[in-house]
Amino acid sequence: FDETETFIPAGLGKNGEPDFAREGEGVLRRGKDVCIHVTGPIASVALAAADILKENWNIRPKVEEWSVVKPLHTERIQMDSSCYRLVVTLEEHVQAGGFGEAVWAVLGGRVKMLRLALPDEFAHNLGSRDEALAACGLTAENIARKVMEALR
C-alpha cells in the first residue's frame, strides 16, 4: 500500500473499530432456516456441513464467519439470528467462556440455539488437527446430524 494511505485491515472501519456495515461482511454462504456462526479455521468444516444439509435434507444454512469476537458486535448477532429456525455456533474453543457462550448471552434464549465446541477436558494423544476434531465430534457429518436433531 501507499505510505500516505492509512492501512485498514479487513473488517475494521477508519476509526479502528469493527465495521460490519458493508454488504455481506463475513457471510461465507447465504441461506435460510439455519444460521451457522463460526469463528476460526473450522469455517471450512461449517461449509462442508452446510453442503451435507443441503444435499441430504434440503436445508440451506447461512454460514457467517466472525473474524472479530471481542468486542462482540451484539446488534449484528441479533440481526443475523432473528429470522432462523435454529442458530448454531461453531468454534475450536471450549464452550465455557467461548464464542457460543457470548452469543447465547446476547440472544438470551429468544431463539433456538445449538452450541458446538470442544469439550472442556485435556485431550490425550489425538494426533492431527482433523483427528482431534473427529474425536471431539466436530466433523461435517456430525455437525449436520446434530443440526438435524436440533431442528426436530
Side-chain angles (χ1 to χ4, degrees), residues 40-51:
I42 200 165
S44 61
V45 178
L47 289 169
D51 290 339

Side-chain angles (χ1 to χ4, degrees), residues 5-88:
E5 296 176 359
T6 303
F7 176 69
I8 302 171
L12 293 182
K14 291 187 187 255
N15 63 356
E17 295 294 317
D19 176 15
F20 301 110
R22 293 183 290 213
E23 178 68 27
E25 178 73 29
V27 177
L28 300 179
R29 179 153 319 147
R30 297 192 185 284
K32 59 181 184 172
D33 300 318
V34 174
C35 182
I36 302 174
H37 294 293
V38 61
T39 182
I42 200 165
S44 61
V45 178
L47 289 169
D51 290 339
I52 293 169
L53 288 163
K54 181 181 176 190
E55 291 169 16
N56 295 347
W57 293 286
N58 201 30
I59 300 291
R60 291 175 169 78
K62 175 182 181 180
V63 180
E64 184 150 10
E65 183 176 34
W66 290 75
S67 58
V68 176
V69 297
K70 287 276 189 182
L72 189 61
H73 195 287
T74 56
E75 293 91 14
R76 180 177 165 208
I77 286 283
Q78 291 168 339
M79 180 181 69
D80 289 348
S81 302
S82 63
C83 58
Y84 295 94
R85 291 174 43 203
L86 178 67
V87 173
V88 179

